[in-house]
Amino acid sequence: MALPSVNLDTLRSIPAPQKLALLGLLVAVLLAGFYFYVAEPKAATIDVLQAENARLDGEIQTLTIKAKHLDELLAANKQLEIELAKKKERLPPEEEAVMLLKQVSDLGVRLGLDIKLWRPGTQTEDVSKLFVKMPVTVEASGAYHTTALFFDRINRLPRIITVSGLKMGTPKMEQGRVVSQAQFDLVAYAAPPEKQAAAIPVANVAKPNPVGK
């Protein structure tokens, strides 16, 4: 297909103002074409990239905050583990806790308390599964300072024993000293029993062949 011929004489005969207007129109068409076919698509792409960059910046800030909090949580968890390990050192096995309560009873007698009731309660395992409570209901009589000294000695024990529900009776004179009845609850804390592996029935255990047969 042949291109249309351009009559240069016709172009030369066009007045200068019209030439300028025609040139301006041509430039406007070129600029419009550049905008619609090049600039505008690029601008849309830039907007998308900027939005994506803003989203990524937001995620980075969120993750940075979470990482900081995670470090704090890990440090707090480590401290709790250390404290838990220290407390576990103060939790004896149940057998030792029973002997410990017996030692506490003997301690009260040595200090001068008259132990009138020593009634162990029901052992219960805490919901946390970290310790077992071994309660004892106690009734004893003695001088105020003897009872206070007894509680102080209990508080100084390396194992954990708590005193609660203290009720003091009306004081009275006995053998030249003021004596009062005291009722309270002792709770010794012991380590939970370790789960034993299921025993294998003897009948299911293969018997070794006698040597030489």
PDB file of all heavy atoms in Angstrom, residues 13 29 46 60 68 70 83 121 124 133 143 155 172 180 205:
ATOM      1  N   SER A  13       2.541  27.141   1.581  1.00  0.00           N
ATOM      2  CA  SER A  13       1.571  28.232   1.383  1.00  0.00           C
ATOM      3  C   SER A  13       0.731  28.499   2.622  1.00  0.00           C
ATOM      4  O   SER A  13      -0.013  29.482   2.660  1.00  0.00           O
ATOM      5  CB  SER A  13       0.652  27.887   0.195  1.00  0.00           C
ATOM      6  OG  SER A  13      -0.110  26.718   0.487  1.00  0.00           O
ATOM      7  N   VAL A  29      -1.151  16.076  20.480  1.00  0.00           N
ATOM      8  CA  VAL A  29      -1.525  14.686  20.197  1.00  0.00           C
ATOM      9  C   VAL A  29      -0.447  13.729  20.688  1.00  0.00           C
ATOM     10  O   VAL A  29      -0.732  12.685  21.268  1.00  0.00           O
ATOM     11  CB  VAL A  29      -1.781  14.507  18.691  1.00  0.00           C
ATOM     12  CG1 VAL A  29      -1.927  13.030  18.339  1.00  0.00           C
ATOM     13  CG2 VAL A  29      -3.031  15.267  18.273  1.00  0.00           C
ATOM     14  N   ILE A  46       2.937   2.431  39.733  1.00  0.00           N
ATOM     15  CA  ILE A  46       3.622   3.070  40.852  1.00  0.00           C
ATOM     16  C   ILE A  46       2.704   3.130  42.067  1.00  0.00           C
ATOM     17  O   ILE A  46       3.124   2.866  43.213  1.00  0.00           O
ATOM     18  CB  ILE A  46       4.101   4.485  40.453  1.00  0.00           C
ATOM     19  CG1 ILE A  46       5.244   4.380  39.428  1.00  0.00           C
ATOM     20  CG2 ILE A  46       4.557   5.268  41.685  1.00  0.00           C
ATOM     21  CD1 ILE A  46       5.657   5.707  38.843  1.00  0.00           C
ATOM     22  N   ILE A  60       6.104  -5.122  58.751  1.00  0.00           N
ATOM     23  CA  ILE A  60       7.423  -5.113  59.393  1.00  0.00           C
ATOM     24  C   ILE A  60       7.336  -4.498  60.789  1.00  0.00           C
ATOM     25  O   ILE A  60       7.902  -5.022  61.753  1.00  0.00           O
ATOM     26  CB  ILE A  60       8.436  -4.354  58.519  1.00  0.00           C
ATOM     27  CG1 ILE A  60       8.743  -5.162  57.245  1.00  0.00           C
ATOM     28  CG2 ILE A  60       9.725  -4.082  59.292  1.00  0.00           C
ATOM     29  CD1 ILE A  60       9.594  -4.421  56.244  1.00  0.00           C
ATOM     30  N   LYS A  68       9.660  -7.978  69.791  1.00  0.00           N
ATOM     31  CA  LYS A  68      10.070  -7.364  71.051  1.00  0.00           C
ATOM     32  C   LYS A  68       9.299  -7.976  72.213  1.00  0.00           C
ATOM     33  O   LYS A  68       9.868  -8.320  73.252  1.00  0.00           O
ATOM     34  CB  LYS A  68       9.836  -5.856  70.997  1.00  0.00           C
ATOM     35  CG  LYS A  68      10.251  -5.126  72.266  1.00  0.00           C
ATOM     36  CD  LYS A  68       9.996  -3.635  72.151  1.00  0.00           C
ATOM     37  CE  LYS A  68      10.385  -2.918  73.438  1.00  0.00           C
ATOM     38  NZ  LYS A  68      10.125  -1.453  73.348  1.00  0.00           N
ATOM     39  N   LEU A  70       7.889 -10.867  72.193  1.00  0.00           N
ATOM     40  CA  LEU A  70       8.291 -12.264  72.314  1.00  0.00           C
ATOM     41  C   LEU A  70       9.542 -12.389  73.165  1.00  0.00           C
ATOM     42  O   LEU A  70       9.642 -13.277  74.023  1.00  0.00           O
ATOM     43  CB  LEU A  70       8.527 -12.864  70.929  1.00  0.00           C
ATOM     44  CG  LEU A  70       8.986 -14.332  70.893  1.00  0.00           C
ATOM     45  CD1 LEU A  70       7.945 -15.228  71.545  1.00  0.00           C
ATOM     46  CD2 LEU A  70       9.253 -14.778  69.461  1.00  0.00           C
ATOM     47  N   GLU A  83      12.197 -19.677  89.072  1.00  0.00           N
ATOM     48  CA  GLU A  83      11.479 -19.637  90.335  1.00  0.00           C
ATOM     49  C   GLU A  83      10.790 -20.973  90.617  1.00  0.00           C
ATOM     50  O   GLU A  83      10.757 -21.435  91.769  1.00  0.00           O
ATOM     51  CB  GLU A  83      10.445 -18.513  90.302  1.00  0.00           C
ATOM     52  CG  GLU A  83      11.069 -17.118  90.237  1.00  0.00           C
ATOM     53  CD  GLU A  83      10.031 -16.025  90.153  1.00  0.00           C
ATOM     54  OE1 GLU A  83       8.817 -16.358  90.159  1.00  0.00           O
ATOM     55  OE2 GLU A  83      10.412 -14.847  90.061  1.00  0.00           O
ATOM     56  N   GLY A 121      -5.742 -34.690 107.025  1.00  0.00           N
ATOM     57  CA  GLY A 121      -6.878 -34.602 106.116  1.00  0.00           C
ATOM     58  C   GLY A 121      -6.618 -35.364 104.831  1.00  0.00           C
ATOM     59  O   GLY A 121      -5.667 -36.147 104.723  1.00  0.00           O
ATOM     60  N   THR A 124      -4.683 -33.895  98.384  1.00  0.00           N
ATOM     61  CA  THR A 124      -5.234 -33.499  97.093  1.00  0.00           C
ATOM     62  C   THR A 124      -4.114 -32.973  96.205  1.00  0.00           C
ATOM     63  O   THR A 124      -3.209 -32.264  96.678  1.00  0.00           O
ATOM     64  CB  THR A 124      -6.304 -32.402  97.249  1.00  0.00           C
ATOM     65  OG1 THR A 124      -5.741 -31.271  97.933  1.00  0.00           O
ATOM     66  CG2 THR A 124      -7.506 -32.923  98.018  1.00  0.00           C
ATOM     67  N   LYS A 133      -1.149 -31.301  98.173  1.00  0.00           N
ATOM     68  CA  LYS A 133      -1.407 -30.699  99.475  1.00  0.00           C
ATOM     69  C   LYS A 133      -1.695 -31.800 100.485  1.00  0.00           C
ATOM     70  O   LYS A 133      -2.508 -32.696 100.225  1.00  0.00           O
ATOM     71  CB  LYS A 133      -2.600 -29.750  99.394  1.00  0.00           C
ATOM     72  CG  LYS A 133      -2.389 -28.539  98.497  1.00  0.00           C
ATOM     73  CD  LYS A 133      -3.636 -27.666  98.491  1.00  0.00           C
ATOM     74  CE  LYS A 133      -3.448 -26.458  97.592  1.00  0.00           C
ATOM     75  NZ  LYS A 133      -4.669 -25.593  97.558  1.00  0.00           N
ATOM     76  N   ALA A 143       1.542 -21.521 126.023  1.00  0.00           N
ATOM     77  CA  ALA A 143       1.703 -20.088 126.213  1.00  0.00           C
ATOM     78  C   ALA A 143       1.751 -19.372 124.867  1.00  0.00           C
ATOM     79  O   ALA A 143       2.100 -19.953 123.842  1.00  0.00           O
ATOM     80  CB  ALA A 143       2.979 -19.820 127.013  1.00  0.00           C
ATOM     81  N   ASN A 155       7.913 -21.519 109.822  1.00  0.00           N
ATOM     82  CA  ASN A 155       8.185 -20.601 108.717  1.00  0.00           C
ATOM     83  C   ASN A 155       9.635 -20.678 108.260  1.00  0.00           C
ATOM     84  O   ASN A 155       9.942 -20.397 107.092  1.00  0.00           O
ATOM     85  CB  ASN A 155       7.841 -19.171 109.143  1.00  0.00           C
ATOM     86  CG  ASN A 155       7.959 -18.183 107.997  1.00  0.00           C
ATOM     87  OD1 ASN A 155       7.353 -18.363 106.939  1.00  0.00           O
ATOM     88  ND2 ASN A 155       8.741 -17.127 108.202  1.00  0.00           N
ATOM     89  N   LYS A 172      -6.148 -18.578 129.936  1.00  0.00           N
ATOM     90  CA  LYS A 172      -6.373 -18.862 131.352  1.00  0.00           C
ATOM     91  C   LYS A 172      -5.039 -19.165 132.017  1.00  0.00           C
ATOM     92  O   LYS A 172      -4.057 -19.503 131.350  1.00  0.00           O
ATOM     93  CB  LYS A 172      -7.333 -20.037 131.517  1.00  0.00           C
ATOM     94  CG  LYS A 172      -6.882 -21.318 130.850  1.00  0.00           C
ATOM     95  CD  LYS A 172      -7.918 -22.413 131.000  1.00  0.00           C
ATOM     96  CE  LYS A 172      -7.463 -23.696 130.309  1.00  0.00           C
ATOM     97  NZ  LYS A 172      -8.455 -24.782 130.475  1.00  0.00           N
ATOM     98  N   SER A 180      -3.322 -20.676 126.391  1.00  0.00           N
ATOM     99  CA  SER A 180      -4.469 -20.499 125.500  1.00  0.00           C
ATOM    100  C   SER A 180      -4.571 -21.686 124.555  1.00  0.00           C
ATOM    101  O   SER A 180      -3.550 -22.267 124.153  1.00  0.00           O
ATOM    102  CB  SER A 180      -4.347 -19.207 124.694  1.00  0.00           C
ATOM    103  OG  SER A 180      -5.446 -19.067 123.806  1.00  0.00           O
ATOM    104  N   VAL A 205       5.993 -62.274  79.689  1.00  0.00           N
ATOM    105  CA  VAL A 205       7.435 -62.112  79.555  1.00  0.00           C
ATOM    106  C   VAL A 205       8.038 -63.441  79.082  1.00  0.00           C
ATOM    107  O   VAL A 205       7.801 -64.491  79.696  1.00  0.00           O
ATOM    108  CB  VAL A 205       8.077 -61.695  80.902  1.00  0.00           C
ATOM    109  CG1 VAL A 205       9.568 -61.572  80.735  1.00  0.00           C
ATOM    110  CG2 VAL A 205       7.455 -60.404  81.375  1.00  0.00           C
TER     111      VAL A 205
END
